[in-house]
Amino acid sequence: MYNILICDDDRDIVSALDIYLTSDGYKTYHAYDGLEALKIVEEREIHLILMDVMMPHMDGIRATAKLRESKNIPIILLTAKSEDADKILGLNIGADDYVTKPFNPIEVLARVKSQLRRYTTLGGQRKEETSRVLRNGGIALDDAAKSVTVDGEGVSLTPIEYNILLLLMKNPGRVFSTGQIYELVWNDPSLGSENTVAVHIRHLREKIEIDPANPRYIKVVWGLGYKMEKV
């Protein structure tokens, strides 16, 4: 059983999401502002968070930033259509995905399943495949331990960042379009995915590159997409 934290100051939204998630077998915890969410995460084992952006006391952006200091669990932002800047900011600081209000609870449930699948199985590779350590230059990705080191130093990645890196490292030299990356990592249609992918790759570069502005590993192929440069 997976534990889902629903954090939104609109109690009707929390109740609606609770009905759909519990009926699908998830255990839910409820918070109504960012401070409550942080407290619950420290006290309980939480596997995924649905986080509203606009809340009193501590908003979802600040709560996400605080969580990313020590936690890598998937975070899906709940945003209004007018909060486009907050969506990009949220992705920049470590959110994995977002759903725009008003939303269809079935869509939210599908995104929850997709994020949990990547967080726990990362695509369901066979045991002999996941035991491999992928290496390129100073990067070592141990898919069995779900760990990444750069020049011997541990790097903390979000599930989405990890999966993008895993995809690129398993296919060194191959160019993936932003649409292909989105479909393979998010398991959703790639319409309007360019900015989302670009934000996550920029954040990933900041963690694994010495000079993110002049990347050694993740290269852009203009007009085509991204690739992992063989080093």
Side-chain angles (χ1 to χ4, degrees):
M1 179 185 294
Y2 295 115
N3 300 329
I4 311 296
L5 173 59
I6 309 168
C7 183
D8 197 304
D9 63 333
D10 188 326
R11 293 176 181 267
D12 290 337
I13 288 178
V14 173
S15 296
L17 290 171
D18 176 81
I19 291 171
Y20 278 88
L21 289 166
T22 55
S23 66
D24 209 60
Y26 299 106
K27 180 176 177 58
T28 64
Y29 293 89
H30 303 167
Y32 303 99
D33 62 59
L35 291 175
E36 289 185 7
L38 295 178
K39 186 173 186 292
I40 291 174
V41 169
E42 290 302 317
E43 296 175 348
R44 306 288 183 178
E45 182 182 12
I46 301 298
H47 301 106
L48 182 142
I49 303 173
L50 294 168
M51 180 80 75
D52 186 31
V53 169
M54 298 299 294
M55 295 183 293
H57 306 306
M58 178 182 281
D59 62 38
I61 298 297
R62 287 191 293 159
T64 297
K66 187 66 177 176
L67 286 165
R68 281 293 175 253
E69 292 177 5
S70 59
K71 306 290 184 182
N72 283 331
I73 55 179
I75 299 174
I76 301 175
L77 295 179
L78 307 176
T79 73
K81 288 184 178 179
S82 61
E83 296 166 355
D84 287 342
D86 287 326
K87 295 173 188 175
I88 300 301
L89 178 58
L91 294 173
N92 263 322
I93 62 168
D96 298 285
D97 201 357
Y98 63 84
V99 179
T100 302
K101 298 178 182 179
F103 49 74
N104 183 336
I106 299 299
E107 177 190 359
V108 177
L109 190 59
R111 290 180 182 270
V112 165
K113 290 179 177 179
S114 177
Q115 289 296 332
L116 285 173
R117 185 165 57 249
R118 277 150 187 75
Y119 182 54
T120 57
T121 69
L122 297 173
Q125 296 94 348
R126 296 191 304 273
K127 184 175 181 180
E128 61 269 23
E129 292 175 337
T130 59
S131 63
R132 293 176 54 208
V133 175
L134 302 175
R135 299 182 186 277
N136 186 36
I139 302 176
L141 186 152
D142 185 340
D143 199 32
K146 305 297 184 283
S147 66
V148 175
T149 60
V150 178
D151 297 328
E153 296 291 330
V155 177
S156 179
L157 303 180
T158 68
I160 288 293
E161 292 163 0
Y162 181 93
N163 283 314
I164 292 174
L165 183 61
L166 177 63
L167 173 67
L168 296 177
M169 287 196 67
K170 289 177 71 175
N171 299 275
R174 176 179 170 182
V175 178
F176 289 89
S177 69
T178 54
Q180 289 173 320
I181 292 172
Y182 193 89
E183 290 176 358
L184 290 168
V185 172
W186 277 263
N187 196 31
D188 280 326
S190 63
L191 295 177
S193 64
E194 290 81 3
N195 286 340
T196 299
V197 172
V199 166
H200 282 286
I201 286 183
R202 184 169 68 248
H203 206 50
L204 176 59
R205 278 173 167 167
E206 290 171 354
K207 296 181 178 181
I208 68 170
E209 302 279 4
I210 295 175
D211 181 3
N214 297 286
R216 178 187 183 196
Y217 296 109
I218 300 179
K219 300 281 192 177
V220 64
V221 181
W222 295 109
L224 296 176
Y226 298 92
K227 70 175 181 176
M228 173 61 70
E229 186 79 358
K230 297 179 182 180
V231 177

